[in-house]
Amino acid sequence: MLGSKIEIKDEFWKRYIDLIMTEMIPFQWNVLNDLEDIKIDKERDDANIPSEKSHAIENFKIAAGRTEGHHYGWLFQDSDVYKWLESAANVYKITKDDKLNDMMNEVVELIEEAQEDDGYLSTFYQIDAPELKFRKLYESHELYCAGHLMEAAVAHYQATGDERLINVVKKFVECIQNHFGSEKGKIKGADGHQEIELALVKLYEVTKDESYLKLSEWFLEIRGQDPDFYKKQLEENDDLGIDDKKPFQVNTVYHQAHKPVIEQTEAVGHAVRLVYMAAAMADVAYYTKNDKLFKASKRIWKNIVKKRLYITGGVGSTVHGEAFTFDYDLPNDTMYCETCAAIGLMFFAKAMMKNEVDAEYAHVMERALYNSVISGMALDGKHFFYVNPLEVNSESSQKDPGKSHVKSTRPSWFGCACCPPNIARTLTSLEKYLYSEKDDALYVNLFMDHSGTVPFNNQEVEVEQKVSFDDEGSLVLKVEAPNTLTLGIRVPTWAENLSIKQTGSDVDYEVVDGYAMVLVEETLTLKITFDVPVIMHQAHPRVRDDLGKVALQRGPFVYCMEETDNESDLHLMRLKDHIRAEKVSDSVLGSHVALKALGEKRVIDEEWNNALYRNYKEPVYEEKDLTFIPYHLWANRSVGEMMVWVVKK
Amino acid sequence: MLGSKIEIKDEFWKRYIDLIMTEMIPFQWNVLNDLEDIKIDKERDDANIPSEKSHAIENFKIAAGRTEGHHYGWLFQDSDVYKWLESAANVYKITKDDKLNDMMNEVVELIEEAQEDDGYLSTFYQIDAPELKFRKLYESHELYCAGHLMEAAVAHYQATGDERLINVVKKFVECIQNHFGSEKGKIKGADGHQEIELALVKLYEVTKDESYLKLSEWFLEIRGQDPDFYKKQLEENDDLGIDDKKPFQVNTVYHQAHKPVIEQTEAVGHAVRLVYMAAAMADVAYYTKNDKLFKASKRIWKNIVKKRLYITGGVGSTVHGEAFTFDYDLPNDTMYCETCAAIGLMFFAKAMMKNEVDAEYAHVMERALYNSVISGMALDGKHFFYVNPLEVNSESSQKDPGKSHVKSTRPSWFGCACCPPNIARTLTSLEKYLYSEKDDALYVNLFMDHSGTVPFNNQEVEVEQKVSFDDEGSLVLKVEAPNTLTLGIRVPTWAENLSIKQTGSDVDYEVVDGYAMVLVEETLTLKITFDVPVIMHQAHPRVRDDLGKVALQRGPFVYCMEETDNESDLHLMRLKDHIRAEKVSDSVLGSHVALKALGEKRVIDEEWNNALYRNYKEPVYEEKDLTFIPYHLWANRSVGEMMVWVVKK
């Protein structure tokens, strides 16, 4: 398959992409090579950080026999290297920077060298526990890391044309095929952390080798067939005396291995695992025409978007297991909403689009991207949220252990480094999310300035967008196709009075499945205009934590109040009316649209000085102007309170 | 000091006391002797239960050399036996039941036998770790158990006149005095769990031996002098190679050992430890006239009642460390509010009363007793809450791990058995909380039917109460004193239009520090009448979780709504007006006063069937009658939602 060749020119997104190129990639390189100390702020970082160094490259050097020593870090430390490589390849595709290519080559050679003759590659097990290879799948992350290696290989190949990593991966897959499968004597289970499933589809897309697709399907289908699979592996190790860890009951719901995936109806367990799995289900369903798999992925999708999705596009209602909980349980200040989970939700949406046309997939993808995903990264490119709360009170974060995971400021790099490199690889490959193809139509899903070509019907279509939604919304969309094509332009839920014009005259269009369908005959330049009103959302009344509250949105951006603009005690404020958008420029936040509104703040009268409780008196409020900023910009100026859902008078 | 000789005749309290006599004491006896299996419901009980048997008596038998084996259970398993003995003695004081006396004698003999020659007594360390005696104070509970033994000894002596246990305790204190103290070579630290401090005061009150008082004061004063004390003990054990546990940073705030107690200004750390410590501080301050200690205890008291106390009298805002958090942080559905902590708050209030006259102490004591304490016990006497929430939604308890400690039904006995026996010993000694003496006045603190004598000015005063607050409130109070005395009758915050009459004519009284002061010349029968209105409380606006909500109270009882009376989705309901008290009789709950009110319930319209969020629409409510029951009665009929703080329209 041909990839998109698109240059993102959007000021908003360039800012992020530049930060990744200039700050993250070099910094992470230094970290992986232990050239940079990982600064761990005990007050701010998670307690379960294994170390103050990465050792990730060193692990590969030991596995390759270049140096000696023990593995160090998480079981999935290798994936840091692979994710870096994927991001670096994405950046190289843009910059063609020789120095970056040298760095990538260094890593590629090291990976080649570290791979064993039979194709196996996982530095922890190679170095310190060869007897346990593929024998502790509930936690080993061997296939998870293999998946990230595949994604890196595909990105590297697409950026450089170099097939070396693809060959490493092919050899690794052979090794996996030799060990896993329905044949007698082979392992009948999948990795505890889904990832290889979606990566194998990417590998298939590049190589067209159907065995990769089959292997992915097999991993999806074997999952949960025997809910005791992980436990049995542990017991077997115990029987053989090769593992000193006592067998225990594995929480199979956490791994979505409690029942076969095609029987699963709800989003449960670890949120990242769930969305990665569901993305693979939809991907595989599309290519293999596996309808049961598609139906199951759609049930899970609907369960998320109708009952378990935060307005910011975040998922994962609890820190315990970083997991989904139950329908309408969406607490704003104790949730997890991991950056990686929002990214995984984008993968899931993108995979669903392959199967059917429904603008809801792109709506949700956009919601996640513009809010929960980019909230994960500070405007300095050096600090990152894993947890993206919708409400923060810094005293609670510091003094309530139940909220200690909810930070009111982005910690510096690392510890468990999953989220930052995930942001890096996603934001450097945005071109993959802009368009989709289905049933002989080309669909426009996201709106940002860019130009380039997208594959369609095995040909290339030239596209260009010039977007603005600061004042009135407008989108200039240029399409040049070798043949006639049907274009579906997503009608955002946040746009009103959409009009499509071509050289001054109205274009007739019909909205089908949320897309404005327009016929393109070779070349077409559309000028699309729309209003961008402020939307006041309310949540389903069963969402206890949002009752009586509203959340504001304008364009794709969800808004929040911060203490720095509104004083402390945000919970005492309530929104009245007169909400207006105002373009502002801030030395830290840059140019953005803020929302101003008329509100009220509850008065704490003097009688309260000496009382915790008193007989009821009608509360007194005083008028107060309220300021809202786009959610993703929060926590860039000062430490303080933040709140998305605000009481509505 | 002479003790009270009072018979509680109150129907309300007799029900509880009878349950303790007929159900708890015999049942717990069987449990302690492993004659009864501890039924552990994995779904409902805490996960950290060490075993399915008690082994507590068996531990003593092993220590006494009667049998052989290892210690089993918690490090503080001995205290189960002591608390049982204290409750049994309290009951024996009422019943003089021979069989109970035989059981007590059996235990007393066993304890005598288990005690070592040097006075030491702690079965775990005697049996399995003699080399670690007094060397792991942060967790050993040796002095904690010693404290409970002292309390049992005092109760047993007061009930039987038998001094055997007092002698055991005297010998144990000598042992402690030999090991702890400011002299060179002695241990300079206190137990990780405060208890011996308050127990030593009780021992002093009975024996008048001032060295017990001094030892208590020393334990209080040494606490926190060296915040590294516990850590250093662990390091020393490590150096000596006598402990296989690696030294680690002890959270000294949890143990209130982060700074000297006289410098402490806030209620922090484990809630039970804090209130036990503060009770001892106030007790010791009174007897030793240690003003610094009193001032510190008062600061802690004020911090609790003005900023960290639930309306139910519960304390401990977080399950993490079962601890206090910070000012105004009073979440209703994630807190701990341990039954034992509410009991400890009663101890604290009682000790404060010795130091100064202020009805606030009795107000809070009553609030804890009538709500959070008795909420701990089911009406069958066989099921117990450790955690007493103010809001429960059973789906959250089951599916949100962050709320798994909040049960929507009382688990059956045990696991960690601290709370049930604590309820037993407290409710069988209520006479100790009724009256207090200060500055030549006798104060009446609690109101319940009883008759008997209380000590006053080293003489006995005959007292009798006959109380009702079902309809109009009334209290007939009879006092017969050998000499003229000043009587202070607490004016409850929940009573209105109090009038005091003697044989038909009004009695003049002045309210001083919350007490109506009346002069008694030998014999006096007062008829006190008052209104018992429904009080609608609001919480300080900084209590985020109670904002816009009210809590109802009538008499000493805080009220709650239960699903069984009001349908599900309690959070969708709000209170309007027309609140009225209604005496009702229920087959399970018995006779009680319910509150009925006019309310509203938010309508979930059909449009919500397919949406999680939508553009704001003015919410629609329909009228709904609401029913409230006394909080302590909740969860006796069916599993379902419960809510104390209700939205006020």
Side-chain angles (χ1 to χ4, degrees), chain A residues 60-72:
Chain A
F60 277 93
K61 286 184 180 166
I62 298 166
R66 289 193 198 170
T67 57
E68 289 194 348
H70 283 283
H71 181 275
Y72 195 92

PDB file of all heavy atoms in Angstrom, chain A residues 60-72:
ATOM      1  N   PHE A  60      20.356  -3.830  25.076  1.00  0.00           N
ATOM      2  CA  PHE A  60      20.582  -4.411  23.750  1.00  0.00           C
ATOM      3  C   PHE A  60      22.054  -4.760  23.547  1.00  0.00           C
ATOM      4  O   PHE A  60      22.386  -5.786  22.962  1.00  0.00           O
ATOM      5  CB  PHE A  60      20.119  -3.435  22.659  1.00  0.00           C
ATOM      6  CG  PHE A  60      18.635  -3.510  22.396  1.00  0.00           C
ATOM      7  CD1 PHE A  60      17.761  -2.665  23.047  1.00  0.00           C
ATOM      8  CD2 PHE A  60      18.125  -4.447  21.517  1.00  0.00           C
ATOM      9  CE1 PHE A  60      16.394  -2.736  22.817  1.00  0.00           C
ATOM     10  CE2 PHE A  60      16.750  -4.535  21.270  1.00  0.00           C
ATOM     11  CZ  PHE A  60      15.889  -3.671  21.929  1.00  0.00           C
ATOM     12  N   LYS A  61      22.927  -3.901  24.051  1.00  0.00           N
ATOM     13  CA  LYS A  61      24.364  -4.175  23.887  1.00  0.00           C
ATOM     14  C   LYS A  61      24.763  -5.457  24.610  1.00  0.00           C
ATOM     15  O   LYS A  61      25.563  -6.244  24.107  1.00  0.00           O
ATOM     16  CB  LYS A  61      25.194  -2.995  24.416  1.00  0.00           C
ATOM     17  CG  LYS A  61      25.133  -1.786  23.476  1.00  0.00           C
ATOM     18  CD  LYS A  61      26.029  -0.659  23.961  1.00  0.00           C
ATOM     19  CE  LYS A  61      25.953   0.538  22.996  1.00  0.00           C
ATOM     20  NZ  LYS A  61      26.540   1.751  23.590  1.00  0.00           N
ATOM     21  N   ILE A  62      24.168  -5.653  25.788  1.00  0.00           N
ATOM     22  CA  ILE A  62      24.464  -6.885  26.535  1.00  0.00           C
ATOM     23  C   ILE A  62      23.922  -8.090  25.776  1.00  0.00           C
ATOM     24  O   ILE A  62      24.607  -9.095  25.597  1.00  0.00           O
ATOM     25  CB  ILE A  62      23.872  -6.814  27.956  1.00  0.00           C
ATOM     26  CG1 ILE A  62      24.511  -5.657  28.744  1.00  0.00           C
ATOM     27  CG2 ILE A  62      24.093  -8.147  28.699  1.00  0.00           C
ATOM     28  CD1 ILE A  62      23.772  -5.300  30.025  1.00  0.00           C
ATOM     29  N   ALA A  63      22.677  -7.953  25.293  1.00  0.00           N
ATOM     30  CA  ALA A  63      22.071  -9.065  24.551  1.00  0.00           C
ATOM     31  C   ALA A  63      22.864  -9.368  23.284  1.00  0.00           C
ATOM     32  O   ALA A  63      22.972 -10.516  22.852  1.00  0.00           O
ATOM     33  CB  ALA A  63      20.619  -8.732  24.209  1.00  0.00           C
ATOM     34  N   ALA A  64      23.447  -8.329  22.679  1.00  0.00           N
ATOM     35  CA  ALA A  64      24.220  -8.500  21.448  1.00  0.00           C
ATOM     36  C   ALA A  64      25.620  -9.044  21.722  1.00  0.00           C
ATOM     37  O   ALA A  64      26.367  -9.362  20.804  1.00  0.00           O
ATOM     38  CB  ALA A  64      24.325  -7.161  20.714  1.00  0.00           C
ATOM     39  N   GLY A  65      25.979  -9.096  23.019  1.00  0.00           N
ATOM     40  CA  GLY A  65      27.306  -9.599  23.376  1.00  0.00           C
ATOM     41  C   GLY A  65      28.399  -8.544  23.293  1.00  0.00           C
ATOM     42  O   GLY A  65      29.572  -8.846  23.445  1.00  0.00           O
ATOM     43  N   ARG A  66      28.008  -7.300  23.076  1.00  0.00           N
ATOM     44  CA  ARG A  66      29.036  -6.252  22.999  1.00  0.00           C
ATOM     45  C   ARG A  66      29.594  -5.922  24.378  1.00  0.00           C
ATOM     46  O   ARG A  66      30.747  -5.559  24.516  1.00  0.00           O
ATOM     47  CB  ARG A  66      28.443  -4.960  22.418  1.00  0.00           C
ATOM     48  CG  ARG A  66      28.115  -5.039  20.949  1.00  0.00           C
ATOM     49  CD  ARG A  66      27.844  -3.628  20.419  1.00  0.00           C
ATOM     50  NE  ARG A  66      27.119  -3.679  19.153  1.00  0.00           N
ATOM     51  CZ  ARG A  66      26.592  -2.629  18.563  1.00  0.00           C
ATOM     52  NH1 ARG A  66      26.684  -1.422  19.125  1.00  0.00           N
ATOM     53  NH2 ARG A  66      25.952  -2.747  17.424  1.00  0.00           N
ATOM     54  N   THR A  67      28.709  -5.970  25.377  1.00  0.00           N
ATOM     55  CA  THR A  67      29.172  -5.724  26.748  1.00  0.00           C
ATOM     56  C   THR A  67      28.562  -6.808  27.633  1.00  0.00           C
ATOM     57  O   THR A  67      27.784  -7.639  27.166  1.00  0.00           O
ATOM     58  CB  THR A  67      28.730  -4.335  27.274  1.00  0.00           C
ATOM     59  OG1 THR A  67      27.301  -4.266  27.194  1.00  0.00           O
ATOM     60  CG2 THR A  67      29.337  -3.214  26.468  1.00  0.00           C
ATOM     61  N   GLU A  68      28.938  -6.758  28.903  1.00  0.00           N
ATOM     62  CA  GLU A  68      28.386  -7.754  29.831  1.00  0.00           C
ATOM     63  C   GLU A  68      27.597  -7.067  30.932  1.00  0.00           C
ATOM     64  O   GLU A  68      27.812  -5.894  31.234  1.00  0.00           O
ATOM     65  CB  GLU A  68      29.529  -8.564  30.440  1.00  0.00           C
ATOM     66  CG  GLU A  68      30.166  -9.496  29.408  1.00  0.00           C
ATOM     67  CD  GLU A  68      31.056 -10.543  30.043  1.00  0.00           C
ATOM     68  OE1 GLU A  68      31.365 -10.408  31.239  1.00  0.00           O
ATOM     69  OE2 GLU A  68      31.432 -11.495  29.341  1.00  0.00           O
ATOM     70  N   GLY A  69      26.706  -7.799  31.537  1.00  0.00           N
ATOM     71  CA  GLY A  69      25.946  -7.229  32.647  1.00  0.00           C
ATOM     72  C   GLY A  69      24.550  -7.809  32.701  1.00  0.00           C
ATOM     73  O   GLY A  69      24.238  -8.778  32.003  1.00  0.00           O
ATOM     74  N   HIS A  70      23.744  -7.204  33.554  1.00  0.00           N
ATOM     75  CA  HIS A  70      22.370  -7.656  33.698  1.00  0.00           C
ATOM     76  C   HIS A  70      21.401  -6.674  33.056  1.00  0.00           C
ATOM     77  O   HIS A  70      21.721  -5.508  32.867  1.00  0.00           O
ATOM     78  CB  HIS A  70      22.029  -7.828  35.176  1.00  0.00           C
ATOM     79  CG  HIS A  70      22.605  -9.083  35.754  1.00  0.00           C
ATOM     80  ND1 HIS A  70      22.065 -10.321  35.527  1.00  0.00           N
ATOM     81  CD2 HIS A  70      23.711  -9.278  36.526  1.00  0.00           C
ATOM     82  CE1 HIS A  70      22.788 -11.240  36.141  1.00  0.00           C
ATOM     83  NE2 HIS A  70      23.807 -10.635  36.751  1.00  0.00           N
ATOM     84  N   HIS A  71      20.235  -7.195  32.759  1.00  0.00           N
ATOM     85  CA  HIS A  71      19.165  -6.342  32.275  1.00  0.00           C
ATOM     86  C   HIS A  71      18.757  -5.392  33.385  1.00  0.00           C
ATOM     87  O   HIS A  71      18.836  -5.705  34.568  1.00  0.00           O
ATOM     88  CB  HIS A  71      17.966  -7.194  31.864  1.00  0.00           C
ATOM     89  CG  HIS A  71      16.812  -6.408  31.327  1.00  0.00           C
ATOM     90  ND1 HIS A  71      15.856  -5.848  32.134  1.00  0.00           N
ATOM     91  CD2 HIS A  71      16.471  -6.086  30.052  1.00  0.00           C
ATOM     92  CE1 HIS A  71      14.972  -5.215  31.385  1.00  0.00           C
ATOM     93  NE2 HIS A  71      15.317  -5.354  30.114  1.00  0.00           N
ATOM     94  N   TYR A  72      18.295  -4.237  33.003  1.00  0.00           N
ATOM     95  CA  TYR A  72      17.908  -3.232  33.986  1.00  0.00           C
ATOM     96  C   TYR A  72      16.668  -2.526  33.475  1.00  0.00           C
ATOM     97  O   TYR A  72      16.558  -2.225  32.292  1.00  0.00           O
ATOM     98  CB  TYR A  72      19.063  -2.228  34.145  1.00  0.00           C
ATOM     99  CG  TYR A  72      18.932  -1.362  35.362  1.00  0.00           C
ATOM    100  CD1 TYR A  72      19.522  -1.739  36.569  1.00  0.00           C
ATOM    101  CD2 TYR A  72      18.203  -0.173  35.310  1.00  0.00           C
ATOM    102  CE1 TYR A  72      19.395  -0.944  37.692  1.00  0.00           C
ATOM    103  CE2 TYR A  72      18.079   0.623  36.429  1.00  0.00           C
ATOM    104  CZ  TYR A  72      18.676   0.234  37.621  1.00  0.00           C
ATOM    105  OH  TYR A  72      18.552   1.018  38.730  1.00  0.00           O
TER     106      TYR A  72
END
